[in-house]
Amino acid sequence: MSSGASNTEYVSARVRARKAALFTDEDYRKLVRMGPSGIARFMEESEYEREINELGARFSGVDLIEHALNRNLAKHFGDLLEWSEGRLYDLIARYLRKFDVWNIKTIIRGIYTGTPAEEFQTDLIRAGELDDATLDRLLEVETIEDVVELLDGTTYAEPLGDAREEFEETNTLVPLENALDREFYVHLLDNLGRPQEGPEAKYVEFLQAEIDFRNARNALRLARSGADLDPASYYIEGGVLFDESELNQLVANPDELVDHIADSKRYGNRLSEALSRLRDADSLIQFEHAIDAALLEYADMLSSIHPTSVSAVLSYILAKEREVENIRAIARGREVGLSESEIEEELVIQ
C-alpha cells in the first residue's frame, strides 16, 4: 500500500462541488412525471450534458439514458482516482473494486437466467479495476465455468471456483454472489487495523457499517430464498453489529433484526429515521432500499464529522451511485408503464 502524502483537502473540495450538483428529491419528483425523451432532455441540462450530446446520435430513449449514466459514473469515479494521491488514492481504489464485484455478479446473473448480453451490458459499471477488454470478453462467455477461467489471475477466480459446487447443488446464485462479497470485504479491511480516532477511523467505521448492513441484507435474502443454506457460511467478518450465532437467530425474523440494529450503541441513535423506514418495509426490496438509505445517512453523518477526509469521498461515491440507480429506475419504470407511485417505490431517497 502506498504511504505517500495524501491531497485530501483538494479532493474533498472537488467532491463537495460534485455533490452539490447531484439531483435533488424535487428533481426526482419531476422525472417521475416524464417519459424517456423528457428525462434525456432534463439530463442534458445537468451534469450529464456531455454524455447525452456525445451519445445522442447513436442511442435514443432508455438506451441513451442508460449509456449516458454509465459513462458519466465511470468518468466521475475515474476522476476521483486521477485527483487523488498517496494513501487517499489507495483507500478510494480499494473501495471502487465494489464495481468489479457488481459487474461479475451482473454477468453471472445474465448467464444463469439465459439473458442475452446485449440486454444487460448497460448494467455494467466500468469503474473498478477490471479493464474494458476483460469485461467485454466476460460478456461473450456462456457458462459460469468460463467466467472463472477468464478471471484467472484476479482475486475473484479462487472464491468463485470454490463456490461452484454449492451453486450446482442448490441451483441458486447465493453461494457465488456471497463468495464475491466476502472476497471484496476481506481485502477492503486489509492492513487498516483499528484506528481509534481521526479521519481513517471514520473510514474503517464506514466500512464496518457497510459490512453490518450487507450481513443484514444477506440474512433476509437467505430467509426468503427458501433454499437449504447455512446462514453462518454467508456471514462476512469485519462488522461490529452481529456475530455468526446472532445472525443465525435473526435470519427468520425481520422485526428482531431491526430491533437488534436499533438497540446497538453505534446505530440506534444515529439512524432513527432510517430505522423507522426499515420497520415499515413490507417486502424484501423495500427492506433493501431502506438499508441503502440507512447507509447513505450514516456516510453523510461520518463525512460531516470529518468534511475534509476520505469519508467525504465515500459519502459522495454512495450518493452518486444512488443518483444513477434512481434515474435508471425511473427511466425503466416509465418505459414499461409503471405508475408514478410504483416507480417511487423503486427509488432510494434519504
Side-chain angles (χ1 to χ4, degrees):
M1 169 170 285
S2 170
S3 57
S6 296
N7 55 340
T8 312
E9 289 190 12
Y10 170 75
V11 176
S12 296
R14 297 294 298 264
V15 162
R16 273 196 299 277
R18 286 272 173 95
K19 199 169 185 183
L22 292 174
F23 283 15
T24 64
D25 290 359
E26 181 58 33
D27 290 330
Y28 293 133
R29 278 189 278 273
K30 292 176 184 175
L31 290 174
V32 165
R33 297 194 291 270
M34 298 177 185
S37 60
I39 294 170
R41 283 195 298 273
F42 190 92
M43 290 170 66
E44 192 177 6
E45 297 172 7
S46 73
E47 281 281 311
Y48 298 92
E49 176 185 8
R50 179 177 176 181
E51 289 80 12
I52 292 289
N53 288 334
E54 288 178 351
L55 295 164
R58 292 166 52 203
F59 304 101
S60 62
V62 174
D63 282 345
L64 172 59
I65 292 166
E66 298 232 22
H67 281 284
L69 289 172
N70 289 344
R71 181 180 287 192
N72 180 273
L73 190 70
K75 177 191 178 299
H76 279 227
F77 291 167
D79 286 345
L80 294 178
L81 294 174
E82 199 171 299
W83 297 337
S84 304
E85 298 172 359
R87 175 79 164 171
L88 180 64
Y89 176 94
D90 287 323
L91 295 177
I92 295 171
R94 66 166 65 190
Y95 188 71
L96 289 178
R97 289 183 198 129
K98 69 187 284 187
F99 296 111
D100 291 331
V101 170
W102 166 264
N103 291 335
I104 297 168
K105 284 183 182 179
T106 300
I107 290 163
I108 286 172
R109 285 187 205 119
I111 293 169
Y112 178 75
T113 57
T115 305
E118 57 267 22
E119 292 184 23
F120 63 81
Q121 63 183 358
T122 54
D123 291 345
L124 301 188
I125 300 171
R126 297 172 184 255
E129 285 188 331
L130 295 178
D131 59 23
D132 285 349
T134 301
L135 291 173
D136 290 340
R137 286 199 301 274
L138 284 168
L139 285 168
E140 295 172 359
V141 305
E142 297 181 355
T143 68
I144 304 295
E145 189 176 354
D146 291 338
V147 171
V148 177
E149 195 173 310
L150 254 178
L151 289 171
D152 187 42
T154 73
T155 186
Y156 306 109
E158 185 176 342
L160 276 178
D162 291 344
R164 266 181 54 209
E165 183 179 345
E166 191 171 5
F167 158 68
E168 289 164 1
E169 287 174 357
T170 62
N171 195 32
T172 171
L173 289 178
V174 174
L176 297 174
E177 295 187 341
N178 189 67
L180 290 167
D181 285 335
R182 292 178 92 166
E183 183 67 13
F184 168 67
Y185 286 114
V186 163
H187 291 299
L188 199 57
L189 292 165
D190 274 352
N191 307 319
L192 285 178
R194 290 289 183 269
Q196 298 301 306
E197 57 185 29
E200 201 153 306
K202 296 304 174 192
Y203 176 79
V204 171
E205 194 173 322
F206 169 80
L207 300 184
Q208 290 170 336
E210 184 153 319
I211 291 170
D212 283 334
F213 291 134
R214 173 62 61 183
N215 277 327
R217 184 194 306 259
N218 284 352
L220 273 178
R221 280 186 175 174
L222 284 174
R224 307 258 177 135
S225 73
D228 185 20
L229 298 167
D230 176 14
S233 65
Y234 294 91
Y235 174 77
I236 298 170
E237 294 184 3
V240 297
L241 188 57
F242 309 101
D243 60 32
E244 283 185 43
S245 61
E246 287 171 327
L247 206 58
N248 278 350
Q249 294 166 12
L250 297 170
V251 157
N253 195 321
D255 289 337
E256 287 185 16
L257 194 65
V258 177
D259 285 342
H260 188 80
I261 300 170
D263 291 342
S264 68
K265 290 180 181 178
R266 178 169 288 193
Y267 304 118
N269 295 329
R270 293 167 163 179
L271 294 176
S272 54
E273 186 179 335
L275 288 168
S276 68
R277 284 198 293 266
L278 276 177
R279 290 189 193 286
D280 293 339
D282 55 13
S283 68
L284 181 58
I285 191 69
Q286 284 184 3
F287 190 91
E288 293 192 350
H289 285 173
I291 284 177
D292 288 338
L295 194 60
L296 276 167
E297 189 176 320
Y298 197 68
D300 284 348
M301 182 273 296
L302 293 178
S303 71
S304 68
I305 295 172
H306 290 285
T308 307
S309 73
V310 67
S311 294
V313 180
L314 292 182
S315 175
Y316 166 71
I317 290 172
L318 282 188
K320 178 66 179 176
E321 188 183 355
R322 185 47 48 197
E323 174 182 270
V324 166
E325 290 300 316
N326 281 340
I327 297 170
R328 178 181 283 124
I330 293 169
R332 288 180 174 176
R334 295 300 292 176
E335 183 183 41
V336 300
L338 296 183
S339 68
E340 290 180 17
S341 61
E342 286 173 323
I343 293 171
E344 285 170 357
E345 284 186 10
E346 296 295 316
L347 306 184
V348 175
I349 300 173
Q350 285 175 274

